[in-house]
Amino acid sequence: MRLISTRGRAPAVDLLTALRRGLAPDGGLYMPTALPPLGVAQLDAIDAASSLSERARLVFAHLLASEIDGARLEAVLDEALDFPIPLVELDARTHVLELFHGPTLAFKDVAARVMARLLPMAVAPGEPLLVLTATSGDTGGAVAQAFHGVDGVRVAVLYPRGRITDVQERQIGTLGGNVRAFAVEGSFDDCQRLVKGAFADAALTAELGLTSANSINIGRLLPQAVYYFHALAQLRAARGREVVPFFVTPSGNFGNLTAGLIAHRLGLPAAGFLAATNANDVVPAFLETGRYRPRPSLATLSSAMDVGDPSNWSRIRHLFDDDLARLRATVEAVPVDDVATRETIEEVARVSGYVLDPHTAVGIAALERHRSAAGIGADTPCIVLSTAHPIKFRAIVEPAIGRPLDVPARVAALDERPLDVAPLPNDLAALREALLGG
Ligand SMILES: *Cc1c(COP(=O)(O)O)cnc(C)c1O
């Protein structure tokens, strides 16, 4: 597989180079030069496969040919994708794909765990590697957990102090070892600015071997394409081989949706894709008006989707050659406010007993709104991607459903470990010093 920059002014590279670099040298994002569709026999084999990692192997084998040794790739995928991603029926027309059974209880585990095992293959022995990541909550934990204990790799996570949930903070700040956590005096945007500032310093980047594990990195997207096939296979096992579902993806930086659209190009049968956003509605507004107007992000209940200028949107435009009509034929978008998010959590729990986290609730609410606008055929089954376990957002979910949630053992265990977090002023010189000092 060859990858080129969305800005088109950088040479094509192989996957490991794109992983190592994160951003292309022209400032664009890497995308595969071609996404040849899987053949009928390959799609059948993916349907018939018995596990997530076997499906991943079939998709990656198609994309990568011989760039990574087959046995090694198989081991990477088996180790990384060792947790279930079940499809749960909510009602006759609506299914929820539970992507939150990994170590940090959010979908970001899927790609972070694959990436943590591929990235070391992209550096020479002895070469330094420091994964520097800004997080609004979930990315930091997934990346820290995935790289924890990986030889020769250091991790630094920057998060906005006081603006992530208690569970998220403990997932980042209790690992220790090769993982360092920094609580920044500022917002998520400030954290991102600091990280960008560090990357803009070529000497620092070279000395520390800086790389990014945010979803600007193509390594974060390709593994996610796999679970769209995994969802379809489970739906077909329950509903018959002919069903073609409609996918709903709660979206912030739009990496997850990009992965779905990549899967679609590879031949995933889909009736369409709905991007569900919170009040940060730059993409729904763009699809309506044709004008892309980034804005500073607004704080909402679904905080992991509080993004005012989604970086992966340029990948989606690239996929559709910037042709708005073609894009609109495949992708629709609906924004959902906090009132509807809370009501959806309450109502779904009351009617079906199923508990949604706020991000998944945005997906369900967007789907309901889209259905009542007659946007989806009455018989079309819908798959809503569930991006996080409700316990990560218990301060929102528990009051909405009026009862306490059961605490998974993995979360309870976090309370037993000491929190080790360094405060960091919102200042690039301080970040430099902290990174060079450790
Ligand atoms: C990161 C995240 C999202 C948004 O995903 P994108 O790929 O950035 O669109 C949605 N929900 C949760 C729980 C997340 O952690």
Side-chain angles (χ1 to χ4, degrees):
M1 170 161 65
R2 306 291 290 170
L3 299 108
I4 47 162
S5 164
T6 50
R7 295 203 179 152
R9 293 190 297 272
V13 297
D14 65 9
L15 179 63
L16 290 179
T17 306
L19 282 184
R20 176 70 188 78
R21 285 196 185 146
L23 214 57
D26 65 356
L29 304 185
Y30 281 115
M31 277 296 272
T33 49
L35 290 165
L38 292 145
V40 175
Q42 288 170 302
L43 286 169
D44 284 349
I46 291 172
D47 254 356
S50 60
S51 67
L52 174 66
S53 63
E54 195 181 335
R55 293 197 170 104
R57 224 179 291 152
L58 290 162
V59 173
F60 272 81
H62 172 68
L63 285 173
L64 292 184
S66 56
E67 297 171 48
I68 298 175
D69 170 67
R72 220 166 153 195
L73 185 62
E74 191 173 324
V76 163
L77 296 171
D78 280 350
E79 274 176 47
L81 305 176
D82 64 348
F83 52 88
I85 300 185
L87 186 71
V88 173
E89 184 178 312
L90 199 58
D91 62 47
R93 301 188 296 169
T94 314
H95 297 255
V96 173
L97 185 69
E98 293 188 345
L99 295 165
F100 54 71
H101 296 280
T104 70
L105 311 179
F107 79 93
K108 292 184 173 86
D109 284 324
V110 175
R113 288 171 62 77
V114 175
M115 213 182 134
R117 289 164 175 81
L118 290 180
L119 196 54
M121 296 184 197
V123 296
E127 198 183 315
L129 191 61
L130 197 165
V131 179
L132 178 62
T133 297
T135 185
S136 59
D138 284 334
T139 294
V143 167
Q145 177 69 237
F147 283 93
H148 185 229
V150 175
D151 254 2
V153 183
R154 295 195 298 147
V155 180
V157 178
L158 273 55
Y159 65 87
R161 193 178 76 86
R163 301 197 199 188
I164 66 175
T165 74
D166 186 48
V167 172
Q168 289 172 328
E169 182 171 49
R170 300 196 73 83
Q171 285 176 336
I172 298 164
T174 60
L175 288 167
N178 62 334
V179 174
R180 294 169 74 204
F182 295 99
V184 174
E185 287 304 330
S187 66
F188 170 60
D189 292 334
D190 294 324
C191 296
Q192 250 182 332
R193 250 193 304 278
L194 285 175
V195 167
K196 280 192 186 146
F199 280 110
D201 182 337
L204 186 75
T205 299
E207 180 172 350
L208 296 172
L210 287 186
T211 193
S212 156
N214 284 94
S215 65
I216 57 163
N217 197 310
I218 187 73
R220 282 279 308 279
L221 302 189
L222 295 178
Q224 290 175 197
V226 173
Y227 53 63
Y228 285 85
F229 289 101
H230 186 61
L232 176 72
Q234 292 181 71
L235 184 69
R236 289 189 160 177
R239 292 290 175 89
R241 287 179 43 81
E242 301 308 318
V243 292
V244 177
F246 184 86
F247 288 93
V248 182
T249 307
S251 295
N253 232 341
F254 282 77
N256 210 358
L257 181 67
T258 306
L261 296 171
I262 288 175
H264 195 216
R265 277 303 151 83
L266 293 176
L268 174 85
F273 292 84
L274 181 66
T277 72
N278 58 29
N280 294 282
D281 63 352
V282 181
V283 167
F286 170 75
L287 288 176
E288 199 170 308
T289 65
R291 282 186 297 277
Y292 186 79
R293 298 235 167 102
R295 287 193 287 275
S297 62
L298 303 168
T300 74
L301 295 178
S302 47
S303 52
M305 310 198 308
D306 292 347
V307 183
D309 184 8
S311 48
N312 284 295
W313 191 246
S314 63
R315 282 195 165 111
I316 292 178
R317 292 174 79 154
H318 176 89
L319 265 178
F320 289 87
D321 299 322
D322 237 332
D323 180 338
L324 187 59
R326 272 179 61 213
L327 178 57
R328 279 177 174 151
T330 304
V331 180
E332 293 164 281
V334 170
V336 172
D337 65 21
D338 278 351
V339 174
T341 304
R342 219 181 244 119
E343 279 172 6
T344 302
I345 297 172
E346 184 277 320
E347 189 187 321
V348 170
R350 180 164 41 77
V351 172
S352 69
Y354 190 84
V355 181
L356 302 166
D357 94 286
H359 306 78
T360 311
V362 167
I364 296 281
L367 172 59
E368 294 305 332
R369 197 162 299 170
H370 197 57
R371 265 190 188 133
S372 57
I376 311 170
D379 299 330
T380 304
C382 297
I383 295 176
V384 179
L385 274 61
S386 177
T387 50
H389 191 293
I391 198 72
K392 291 192 93 167
F393 304 93
R394 65 192 298 184
I396 295 162
V397 174
E398 288 179 343
I401 64 172
R403 63 175 172 83
L405 291 168
D406 294 335
V407 179
R410 202 173 246 155
V411 171
L414 289 171
D415 289 337
E416 311 293 310
R417 304 173 58 103
L419 189 65
D420 181 10
V421 172
L424 190 75
N426 178 14
D427 172 52
L428 185 57
L431 175 62
R432 270 182 63 101
E433 198 175 314
L435 294 179
L436 287 167

